[in-house]
C-alpha cells in the first residue's frame, strides 16, 4: 500500500498535557511500523529539499522521543 503524506500524518499520535499540563506530545513512532509510510516521509523530505533550490550540506536528526 502506498501512503500519502496525509495518511502518514494520521499515524502520528497526540497526547495532550503529557508529560505535564500545556504540553502536546506527538509520538511519531507509529510511522516506523509501516515501511511504506517511512518511504513516503523520506520522499516528502527529498522533494521539499529539492524545491528549495539550494545545496544542503547536512541533515540532522534528533532522537528525543518527542521531548524537544
Amino acid at each position: 500500500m502506498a501512503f500519502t503524506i496525509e495518511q502518514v500524518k494520521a499515524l502520528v499520535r497526540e497526547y495532550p498535557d503529557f508529560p505535564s499540563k500545556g504540553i502536546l506530545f506527538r509520538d511519531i513512532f507509529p510511522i516506523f511500523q509501516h515501511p511504506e509510510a517511512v518511504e513516503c516521509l523520506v520522499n516528502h523530505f527529498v522533494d521539499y529539499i529539492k524545491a528549495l533550490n539550494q545545496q544542503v550540506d547536512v541533515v540532522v536528526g534528533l532522537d528525543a522521543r518527542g521531548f524537544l
Side-chain angles (χ1 to χ4, degrees), residues 5-15 24-32 34 37 41:
I5 198 63
E6 290 78 22
Q7 290 170 315
V8 173
K9 288 179 184 179
L11 292 173
V12 177
R13 294 183 189 144
E14 294 184 348
Y15 299 93
L24 176 59
F25 177 80
R26 289 189 175 121
D27 183 11
I28 64 169
F29 189 71
I31 294 171
F32 299 104
H34 303 276
L41 188 58

Side-chain angles (χ1 to χ4, degrees), residues 45-54 56:
F45 281 140
V46 170
D47 293 343
Y48 178 81
I49 291 168
K50 284 181 180 177
L52 292 176
N53 288 328
Q54 297 178 356
V56 176

Side-chain angles (χ1 to χ4, degrees), residues 14-26 66-68:
E14 294 184 348
Y15 299 93
D17 297 324
F18 181 80
S20 59
K21 188 172 175 75
I23 303 290
L24 176 59
F25 177 80
R26 289 189 175 121
F67 293 97
L68 298 177

